[in-house]
């Protein structure tokens, strides 16, 4: 699951947080934005990005991070599988 896009400054995913520019999980993150996707549970951050990246949504990025885990690990990080936004 996705919590939100967390915007940061200075084209650095570890830069100073800019919470007023945070985005929802299904909102497209466009080139020029730096930050990371906050995923629920123990997934941690995904798509840590400088300002140079393709368009994406955090819903898909958190799903990809979850889907890349071993099946026996998937059930330990989330209560139920996340939904991709293109389903």
């Amino acid at each position: 699951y996705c919590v939100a896009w967390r915007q940061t400054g200075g084209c650095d995913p570890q830069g100073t947080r800019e919470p007023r520019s945070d985005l929802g999980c299904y909102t497209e993150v466009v080139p020029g934005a730096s930050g990371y996707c906050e995923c629920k549970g123990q997934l941690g951050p995904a798509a840590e990005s400088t300002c140079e990246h393709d368009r994406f949504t955090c819903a898909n990025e958190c799903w990809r991070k979850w889907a890349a885990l071993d099946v026996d690990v998937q059930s330990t990080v989330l209560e139920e599988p996340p939904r991709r936004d293109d389903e």
Side-chain angles (χ1 to χ4, degrees):
Y1 289 119
C2 167
V3 175
W5 166 255
R6 301 303 187 192
Q7 180 79 28
T8 60
C11 289
D12 180 355
Q14 281 83 41
T16 303
R17 286 272 295 114
E18 297 179 343
R20 289 186 177 155
S21 297
D22 288 354
L23 301 171
C25 294
Y26 296 96
T27 303
E28 196 170 70
V29 179
V30 298
S34 65
Y36 57 92
C37 296
E38 180 182 345
C39 303
K40 288 184 179 180
Q42 298 174 24
L43 282 174
E48 295 177 277
S49 302
T50 64
C51 292
E52 296 181 24
H53 56 81
D54 293 330
R55 295 170 182 262
F56 62 87
T57 66
C58 286
N60 273 344
E61 295 303 316
C62 288
W63 182 88
R64 285 185 183 132
K65 187 169 184 177
W66 178 84
L69 297 173
D70 291 333
V71 173
D72 58 332
V73 175
Q74 288 176 342
S75 64
T76 67
V77 295
L78 295 175
E79 292 180 16
E80 59 183 273
R83 181 178 69 85
R84 290 181 60 171
D85 65 359
D86 59 351
E87 289 185 333

